[in-house]
Amino acid sequence: MKGTHLGEFEELVLLTTAVTDGNAYTVTIVAEIEKNTGRKLTLSTVHTALVRLEKKGFVNSYMGGTTKERGGRRRRLYKITAPGYTALNQARETRTKMWEKMPELSFDFKGLT
Amino acid sequence: MKEKYPPKWADRILEWYCLEYYLEEVQGDLREWYFEKLKHSPRFLNLRYFILVLRYFSLTRSKSFQKLINNPNYLSMKKILLITYRNLKKDKISGFMRLTNLAFGISVFLLALVYANYELNYDRFHKKGSDIYRLGQDGGGTRAWAAGPIGAGPFALENIPDVKSMARFIPVRETWVKAGEEKLNEKGVFFADSSALTLFSYEMIQGDKRTALTDPWSIVLTESMAKKYFGDEDPMGKSMQLLIDRGNSRKVTGVIKDVPAQSHLQFDFLCSLYSYGDEDYQRSWRNYFVYTYIEADGENLSNISKQLRNEFLKRYNGAEEDYFVAVLTPLHKIHLFTNQEKDNADHGNAYYVYILFSIGVFVLIISCINFINLTVIKGLDRAKEVGLRKTVGAFRPQLIAQFMSENMVLLLFAGLCSLLLLLIVEPFFKELSGLDLPLNFVSNPQVLLTLALILLGLELVSGIYPAVVLSNFKPAEIIKPIGSTSMKLKKIGIIRKILIVTQFSLSVILVIGSIIVYSQLSYIKEQDLGFEKDQILLVKLNWSLSQKLEALKDELAKIPGINNVTLSEDVPGYRISMEGVQKPGDQEATMSRITASDEKFLDTYNMELSAGADFSSSSPNQLQYLINETMATLIFGDRDPIGQKLIWRDTGQVVGVVKDFNFQSLHSEVEPLTIVRNLDIGWGYISIQFDPSSVDNVLSRIDQASQEIYPDLPRIETEFLDDRFGQLYLSENRLQAIVWAFCLITIVLTISGIFGVASYNAHKRQKEIAIRKVLGAGASEMIWQLLKGFVVLLGSALVVGLPGAYFLATWWLQDFAYQVTISPFIFVGAAIIMLLLIFMSSGLVTFKASNTNPATILKNE
């Protein structure tokens, strides 16, 4: 496999996939991200990220059921894999570790002195 | 309300590009999005849908792209490129050397090709060019005449049915041209028939080419002249005055594009020939400075030439058995292949084209041999790789493809480099060759085609051979060599030796050739001409300058710093006319160069007398002749020429004999020369001998004097005689520089070739060297062991190269009247140079090899 690095946006998408487990496909992920972060994304952006995640082995996909709106077309549901979960976890741990090392910072507000 | 659906056409776009795998999912997602939006914000929904479809486009989802990268051919190609890259990375020196070698070789060859192509394609832009012949004559002198009488053209057109059309050109030596206030000296003025514009394909910008020159007082000028005299105004119908027209005015009736550089006729103005004398004169057989061009079929030439000969003989009262030929020179041959008398065309030198082109070919061969040798050597190094691949299951075609594509990558890269190199050297080459070569010759299809052919040829030769031979090996044999394999390897070794010998021979020939060309050209330039040429200033005279000639001459003589001033009809360095001279009682005239001068001629040019005296000023009305030694022996044989009578137009007395001197360039031998005193036939030049220390003063005083005497005329133009001689040797100087540059490239290429082969040999024999060292061999002995092979090869190359070089050199030198003696030292020198090159390039490698500690090499055994 090429790089297994998890980018910021990929991390967000992967996280959302894990959160909406069982009903995670492009449209729901877009809606979930918008709800939680306010970021307005297009379907294609998220889909590209999902394709990439699948190539890296962080998610699996399988075809799910369909609805009337989809005109009989099935949806592809994405599910986080164990390596994906580990990668997410690692990302979180790195962040936590770094946060723990954070010293007391004082900020100069230049305009006030 | 009708239910809304996403637009079908947008869906179709999606279906067209999207990979099957994603299609269902993406379409479903899109629909879901569509109906969701329909509920909340249905504005421009179809457009937004379409944009979203477009945004879905990416290579990962593209049908055709995925198909392409999953194609097995692409995959194996990728692998081959990868292996090529790794191989090149592994041995950077060899790859670099192969690349630069080839790039240099190809560039040099392409340059030579472009140059030869340019020179060989003079006058090709004339559409009727292959049917146009220049009518000259050969009356049995040393050379044929390019020009002929004015009446020959009309005669041919009217009386010989095979002659389809005819055009005459008469050059005007020197004139000024005036339009409005502008009055300038011009050199490119010709008289021409009205048919000149239809027979030749000069491009008309304004005016009608059929009628532009029919009016006797019409003039056609080139675009740049129109700009020079009239600026942005429309030149058509404007009037111009020329010195030669003695007061008459001409009307501009046409403008043509500037004459292309690849034309032997170079002019700026064409005046109608019908103002050049009346109808009778036009048909007379006078004026031998007319260039006549006829259009005819090649098959009828002998017939035309026969009829013209008869007419010539009739006009000149010649007898049937006299030697006389009407010479019809094909237009395309004039530039490069003629050397006729009375020709002032723009000439090239066929020998130089041959020399440069063969140098180009030689350099290309040398670099190709280097490339092939190094490639084959590299290939042999990989025998084990081949064995292993075969064991693992590679098929032969795969192996061949691998080897050949590796080669191709390198070749293509070298081709690109050579084009890049050409781009870089293009301006220098233009300046060096002095040719206005087609500007972007890099994008010239011919060049690119040749390049492709060379690369293809090299691919076939250097790629197929090792590929086929190596892929034929049986794996077991390679990994554990037995008799037949080592036989095969030996065979490759022999071919390689033959290639090296060829290469060395070519290098030897090139090195010797360059030395000889160089020394011959310096020899010519440094020859003592036998007269003063460094301190002479020339003023070309014309009709209006001649009006106050005495005043000008007196004024010039007064200027301090001017030692001598002389008037003459012609001067050394320019063409001196060739005419018949007789002594009383002679049946036939002896042809001699002849010029008139005043008494100061010999003093001004510092010429020496070998017998008799200079023109005497005591008897100014007596007709006196001076002749040179060649003329003296030619016409008087052993008799003392002094006091003999001589007839040219009038009878006079020979008063002195001048030592032979080269009044023309040293391409030709000293010809017979006759100088006649004060025969007033119109002076052509003032020659001024000046004191070199006061040149600037002299020049400004001459300018001042001429302004005072001729207030109405353009500034007087002067020329240094040594500049003129410099011009005569211009092509020699250029050739010298180019030959030098090419010779250097040859040497560098040879060195790199030897270097490559030597380092391979040293590498192959490192174990042998190590063992010999262990057994007590000294360093010098080791080096000799390794060099021995090369010295033997060089020996055989010398056997071929030295006679070859000698043969080529004598062939080239025979064109020169004055030849440098080919000293045997040149050959010995070249052999030594080659030996030194071999020692230097391979010695370094061998020294390194023999200096390595044997333990490092042998420890793996």
Side-chain angles (χ1 to χ4, degrees):
Chain A
M1 205 63 228
K2 252 183 201 167
T4 45
H5 173 75
L6 198 58
E8 187 264 344
F9 182 66
E10 283 172 354
E11 189 187 335
L12 182 65
V13 173
L14 188 55
L15 205 56
T16 321
T17 314
V19 170
T20 50
D21 192 34
N23 190 28
Y25 64 103
T26 317
V27 182
T28 46
I29 292 172
V30 169
E32 188 67 22
I33 290 178
E34 190 176 344
K35 202 169 81 192
N36 287 320
T37 66
R39 278 170 83 168
K40 292 202 177 200
L41 300 168
T42 53
L43 292 176
S44 57
T45 327
V46 173
H47 189 251
T48 309
L50 284 170
V51 168
R52 213 174 289 148
L53 284 171
E54 189 173 11
K55 273 197 181 156
K56 288 181 183 175
F58 291 159
V59 294
N60 276 338
S61 72
Y62 55 95
M63 299 311 279
T66 180
T67 59
K68 188 178 157 248
E69 290 90 48
R70 297 181 65 89
R73 290 170 182 89
R74 288 175 300 164
R75 59 192 121 195
R76 183 181 292 278
L77 290 171
Y78 293 87
K79 185 174 174 60
I80 189 161
T81 60
Y85 186 75
T86 319
L88 265 185
N89 226 343
Q90 258 174 10
R92 189 183 63 171
E93 265 169 32
T94 317
R95 234 169 263 187
T96 325
K97 246 188 256 165
M98 295 303 279
W99 271 108
E100 277 165 6
K101 284 186 190 164
M102 185 81 76
E104 287 286 321
L105 293 177
S106 61
F107 299 98
D108 285 342
F109 294 102
K110 274 190 178 158
L112 295 178
T113 49
Chain B
M1 192 183 110
K2 199 181 146 228
E3 202 159 354
K4 262 191 102 173
Y5 282 104
K8 279 248 166 59
W9 48 270
D11 272 349
R12 223 164 282 140
I13 294 176
L14 194 71
E15 279 158 27
W16 169 68
Y17 78 77
C18 189
L19 211 58
E20 203 68 40
Y21 180 81
Y22 296 113
L23 188 62
E24 185 177 355
E25 168 201 6
V26 169
Q27 249 174 358
D29 288 351
L30 278 169
R31 281 193 161 233
E32 211 177 317
W33 174 87
Y34 184 87
F35 291 117
E36 176 69 23
K37 290 288 167 203
L38 198 60
K39 278 184 232 156
H40 304 293
S41 53
R43 284 210 295 170
F44 304 119
L45 194 55
N46 281 358
L47 183 66
R48 279 157 64 204
Y49 185 83
F50 172 61
I51 291 172
L52 195 57
V53 166
L54 285 189
R55 292 186 67 169
Y56 255 107
F57 181 80
S58 81
L59 291 181
T60 39
R61 283 185 285 259
S62 158
K63 229 186 250 177
S64 35
F65 182 72
Q66 291 299 323
K67 210 159 142 193
L68 178 79
I69 61 166
N70 286 316
N71 188 311
N73 286 333
Y74 170 78
L75 290 177
S76 62
M77 190 68 162
K78 211 165 125 189
K79 200 171 261 165
I80 285 169
L81 286 176
L82 186 69
I83 294 173
T84 309
Y85 172 72
R86 283 182 188 156
N87 271 325
L88 286 178
K89 216 170 121 189
K90 206 165 71 189
D91 195 350
K92 290 192 193 86
I93 297 178
S94 159
F96 176 76
M97 270 182 12
R98 276 192 281 171
L99 199 70
T100 43
N101 247 306
L102 204 57
F104 265 103
I106 293 177
S107 309
V108 168
F109 175 73
L110 288 181
L111 277 183
L113 183 76
V114 168
Y115 170 75
N117 192 39
Y118 181 85
E119 286 282 306
L120 286 168
N121 281 310
Y122 254 66
D123 294 306
R124 296 277 169 183
F125 63 94
H126 297 301
K127 293 196 181 69
K128 296 180 184 167
S130 47
D131 289 337
I132 299 177
Y133 299 86
R134 186 171 70 185
L135 169 58
Q137 49 190 314
D138 185 355
T142 45
R143 294 189 286 167
W145 284 10
I150 191 164
F155 166 80
L157 188 64
E158 283 155 21
N159 299 306
I160 306 175
D162 293 334
V163 175
K164 286 184 222 151
S165 58
M166 174 279 299
R168 291 168 292 176
F169 286 84
I170 306 176
V172 179
R173 206 190 209 178
E174 185 94 346
T175 183
W176 50 251
V177 174
K178 183 168 178 256
E181 292 305 302
E182 205 77 53
K183 190 181 202 177
L184 299 159
N185 284 322
E186 291 295 349
K187 294 193 173 96
V189 182
F190 275 71
F191 285 96
D193 269 314
S194 64
S195 52
L197 293 171
T198 47
L199 181 60
F200 294 101
S201 308
Y202 298 112
E203 208 179 315
M204 280 308 253
I205 300 174
Q206 280 177 290
D208 182 354
K209 62 176 158 190
R210 276 174 306 244
T211 57
L213 287 173
T214 42
D215 184 75
W217 296 105
S218 58
I219 184 169
V220 168
L221 53 164
T222 58
E223 202 179 4
S224 56
M225 285 301 137
K227 195 145 204 116
K228 184 167 152 191
Y229 283 92
F230 301 106
D232 294 332
E233 289 174 55
D234 182 10
M236 292 293 283
K238 291 263 167 43
S239 80
M240 299 186 95
Q241 291 82 42
L242 277 78
L243 164 64
I244 33 169
D245 291 336
R246 320 242 157 135
N248 285 305
S249 256
R250 285 184 184 275
K251 207 170 86 181
V252 178
T253 51
V255 179
I256 58 171
K257 275 241 162 77
D258 285 1
V259 178
Q262 273 171 294
S263 166
H264 81 280
L265 277 172
Q266 289 290 338
F267 56 82
D268 299 316
F269 301 89
L270 287 181
C271 300
S272 173
L273 192 101
Y274 309 123
S275 59
Y276 199 93
D278 56 18
E279 182 72 17
D280 280 348
Y281 180 81
Q282 301 257 340
R283 290 173 183 283
S284 73
W285 287 57
R286 304 213 302 264
N287 187 340
Y288 296 94
F289 226 108
V290 181
Y291 299 110
T292 309
Y293 297 86
I294 59 167
E295 182 194 357
D297 272 340
E299 307 139 32
N300 306 326
L301 285 190
S302 57
N303 181 28
I304 296 171
S305 157
K306 209 164 85 197
Q307 295 190 46
L308 280 167
R309 176 190 138 92
N310 292 338
E311 185 67 14
F312 270 108
L313 291 178
K314 203 168 91 198
R315 296 282 182 163
Y316 296 141
N317 302 321
E320 189 56 37
E321 63 276 7
D322 280 354
Y323 181 82
F324 191 91
V325 182
V327 182
L328 293 169
T329 316
L331 180 69
H332 296 157
K333 295 232 155 134
I334 293 176
H335 171 70
L336 213 51
F337 299 102
T338 61
N339 183 19
Q340 295 173 348
E341 185 64 20
K342 294 200 174 205
D343 194 355
N344 63 1
D346 169 21
H347 274 296
N349 189 323
Y351 274 97
Y352 296 170
V353 175
Y354 295 148
I355 288 180
L356 285 181
F357 191 68
S358 35
I359 290 181
V361 172
F362 280 16
V363 169
L364 181 68
I365 294 178
I366 290 177
S367 71
C368 286
I369 289 180
N370 275 349
F371 185 82
I372 294 172
N373 263 340
L374 290 172
T375 312
V376 172
I377 287 171
K378 285 304 306 172
L380 293 181
D381 258 357
R382 290 169 60 188
K384 273 192 184 147
E385 178 195 329
V386 172
L388 198 61
R389 275 168 180 269
K390 277 199 155 182
T391 320
V392 176
F395 293 110
R396 208 175 155 199
Q398 281 173 334
L399 286 172
I400 293 182
Q402 171 73 41
F403 275 104
M404 296 204 44
S405 3
E406 274 185 33
N407 219 25
M408 198 71 222
V409 169
L410 208 62
L411 281 172
L412 284 178
F413 204 54
L416 278 180
C417 285
S418 68
L419 284 184
L420 207 69
L421 211 62
L422 282 183
L423 268 179
I424 296 168
V425 300
E426 188 187 336
F428 301 102
F429 185 69
K430 262 189 192 167
E431 187 164 327
L432 200 62
S433 66
L435 296 176
D436 182 27
L437 288 169
L439 193 71
N440 49 355
F441 68 75
V442 170
S443 59
N444 188 335
Q446 262 173 329
V447 169
L448 290 182
L449 192 71
T450 323
L451 182 68
L453 282 180
I454 295 173
L455 293 184
L456 199 68
L458 272 178
E459 168 72 8
L460 290 180
V461 177
S462 68
I464 281 189
Y465 186 65
V468 169
V469 170
L470 283 174
S471 62
N472 200 17
F473 285 158
K474 297 198 172 59
E477 285 177 11
I478 293 172
I479 293 167
K480 197 157 183 57
I482 54 165
S484 70
T485 312
S486 58
M487 274 299 289
K488 276 180 198 156
L489 288 173
K490 213 174 217 165
K491 224 158 81 205
I492 298 176
I494 289 170
I495 290 176
R496 210 170 62 228
K497 273 181 189 147
I498 293 173
L499 287 178
I500 293 178
V501 170
T502 318
Q503 185 186 31
F504 280 3
S505 325
L506 289 179
S507 307
V508 167
I509 291 177
L510 272 185
V511 168
I512 294 178
S514 310
I515 296 174
I516 288 177
V517 167
Y518 196 83
S519 51
Q520 167 69 17
L521 296 179
S522 333
Y523 173 78
I524 283 190
K525 281 191 290 183
E526 281 151 22
Q527 271 282 305
D528 183 17
L529 291 173
F531 66 92
E532 182 61 65
K533 77 167 161 56
D534 296 333
Q535 299 173 19
I536 301 281
L537 203 58
L538 294 177
V539 177
K540 246 187 203 168
L541 294 174
N542 55 33
W543 184 78
S544 37
L545 283 179
S546 303
Q547 298 312 300
K548 293 178 189 166
L549 196 54
E550 284 307 314
L552 176 66
K553 197 182 150 197
D554 290 345
E555 203 59 39
L556 288 177
K558 276 188 224 155
I559 297 173
I562 289 183
N563 302 333
N564 274 308
V565 178
T566 184
L567 291 169
S568 60
E569 187 194 2
D570 293 308
V571 288
Y574 281 95
R575 217 187 60 79
I576 300 179
S577 59
M578 183 93 153
E579 281 173 50
V581 180
Q582 283 171 296
K583 62 175 185 285
D586 270 357
Q587 287 301 312
E588 272 183 44
T590 307
M591 296 306 280
S592 165
R593 300 273 167 194
I594 192 151
T595 179
S597 81
D598 65 7
E599 297 92 357
K600 292 279 201 176
F601 194 72
L602 291 198
D603 283 346
T604 310
Y605 280 97
N606 277 339
M607 290 169 184
E608 281 177 55
L609 284 167
S610 64
D614 198 354
F615 294 133
S616 66
S617 41
S618 56
S619 46
N621 295 321
Q622 197 192 354
L623 188 64
Q624 293 181 334
Y625 288 106
L626 284 170
I627 55 179
N628 70 355
E629 289 165 334
T630 311
M631 182 63 183
T633 37
L634 194 66
I635 195 163
F636 298 115
D638 295 335
R639 281 185 291 160
D640 181 15
I642 307 298
Q644 299 278 359
K645 293 262 184 292
L646 206 61
I647 311 163
W648 176 73
R649 300 199 183 176
D650 220 336
T651 311
Q653 206 177 24
V654 176
V655 292
V657 177
V658 188
K659 272 199 177 159
D660 274 346
F661 66 92
N662 273 289
F663 47 87
Q664 247 121 21
S665 79
L666 283 160
H667 293 130
S668 48
E669 295 207 41
V670 175
E671 290 174 292
L673 175 74
T674 308
I675 305 172
V676 54
R677 183 182 66 161
N678 271 4
L679 204 66
D680 197 6
I681 49 172
W683 300 120
Y685 298 87
I686 304 181
S687 315
I688 301 161
Q689 191 202 58
F690 59 91
D691 188 357
S693 57
S694 50
V695 184
D696 294 333
N697 184 35
V698 167
L699 284 176
S700 66
R701 289 290 297 272
I702 291 177
D703 198 43
Q704 215 178 326
S706 75
Q707 293 284 312
E708 279 166 26
I709 303 172
Y710 310 104
D712 300 337
L713 291 183
R715 293 185 112 81
I716 209 165
E717 283 178 20
T718 54
E719 186 184 17
F720 289 99
L721 188 61
D722 54 347
D723 283 351
R724 170 64 192 169
F725 272 88
Q727 258 175 40
L728 290 179
Y729 293 124
L730 199 62
S731 59
E732 276 77 9
N733 284 337
R734 283 176 182 150
L735 183 70
Q736 228 171 0
I738 294 177
V739 162
W740 238 181
F742 281 7
C743 179
L744 266 181
I745 290 178
T746 314
I747 290 178
V748 171
L749 287 181
T750 314
I751 290 180
S752 72
I754 300 171
F755 189 78
V757 178
S759 41
Y760 170 76
N761 278 353
H763 178 72
K764 277 277 115 151
R765 295 174 66 182
Q766 58 181 0
K767 276 181 196 155
E768 178 198 333
I769 297 168
I771 292 170
R772 278 177 192 265
K773 262 187 108 171
V774 170
L775 295 178
S780 55
E781 199 182 329
M782 292 312 337
I783 292 178
W784 174 241
Q785 275 290 331
L786 287 168
L787 275 179
K788 205 170 61 182
F790 276 116
V791 175
V792 171
L793 291 183
L794 177 65
S796 15
L798 287 177
V799 171
V800 184
L802 293 183
Y806 180 78
F807 172 74
L808 285 176
T810 38
W811 170 77
W812 179 63
L813 283 176
Q814 71 189 7
D815 185 41
F816 288 87
Y818 294 84
Q819 300 170 0
V820 70
T821 41
I822 304 177
S823 118
F825 288 115
I826 294 177
F827 294 88
V828 178
I832 292 175
I833 289 176
M834 290 298 293
L835 204 62
L836 279 179
L837 287 182
I838 289 176
F839 272 42
M840 264 167 18
S841 50
S842 68
L844 189 73
V845 179
T846 22
F847 180 72
K848 219 175 111 193
S850 67
N851 231 9
T852 326
N853 187 351
T856 32
I857 298 167
L858 291 176
K859 69 182 171 193
N860 292 331
E861 287 300 305

